Amino acid sequence: MMHKIIVIIFLIALVIGILQLIAFWKIYKKAGKGGWEAIVPFYCNWVLVEIAELNWWWFLAFFAPLITSFIGLSWLGYLVYFFATFTVYYN
């Protein structure tokens, strides 16, 4: 029984991931970028910041949880990450 639940959860996550990839591909194409740029790790965030026409340091805000985890303030990092993600997607 537990195996079936795990398989179902995996399939749902796979479908959501594929839909997200398709959505990002279309966003990048509409912004005049290559759709392939949506699937390259880290570079896709850089391109999103360029599309939003924000300063380069917004790209660094995506790494706030990693940076703040070293000093024990990971909650602050996630707060910065949430704000940065919202701002970039909104713009």
Side-chain angles (χ1 to χ4, degrees):
M1 181 66 178
M2 188 64 158
H3 290 73
K4 290 181 183 180
I5 294 173
I6 292 173
V7 170
I8 290 171
I9 291 172
F10 174 77
L11 290 175
I12 290 171
L14 184 64
V15 169
I16 290 171
I18 291 171
L19 290 175
Q20 184 179 11
L21 176 64
I22 292 169
F24 274 110
W25 193 285
K26 289 184 178 192
I27 289 170
Y28 279 59
K29 294 295 273 185
K30 191 172 184 177
K33 304 287 184 180
W36 63 271
E37 293 176 306
I39 60 174
V40 179
F42 304 113
Y43 181 65
C44 64
N45 292 339
W46 180 263
V47 175
L48 271 176
V49 170
E50 286 181 349
I51 290 171
E53 299 177 349
L54 296 172
N55 292 329
W56 63 270
W57 56 267
W58 283 95
F59 172 72
L60 296 178
F62 285 108
F63 299 103
L66 176 68
I67 296 167
T68 57
S69 68
F70 291 118
I71 58 174
L73 294 173
S74 58
W75 63 270
L76 180 62
Y78 284 109
L79 188 64
V80 170
Y81 175 78
F82 176 75
F83 179 72
T85 303
F86 178 79
T87 303
V88 170
Y89 287 169
Y90 181 77
N91 287 323

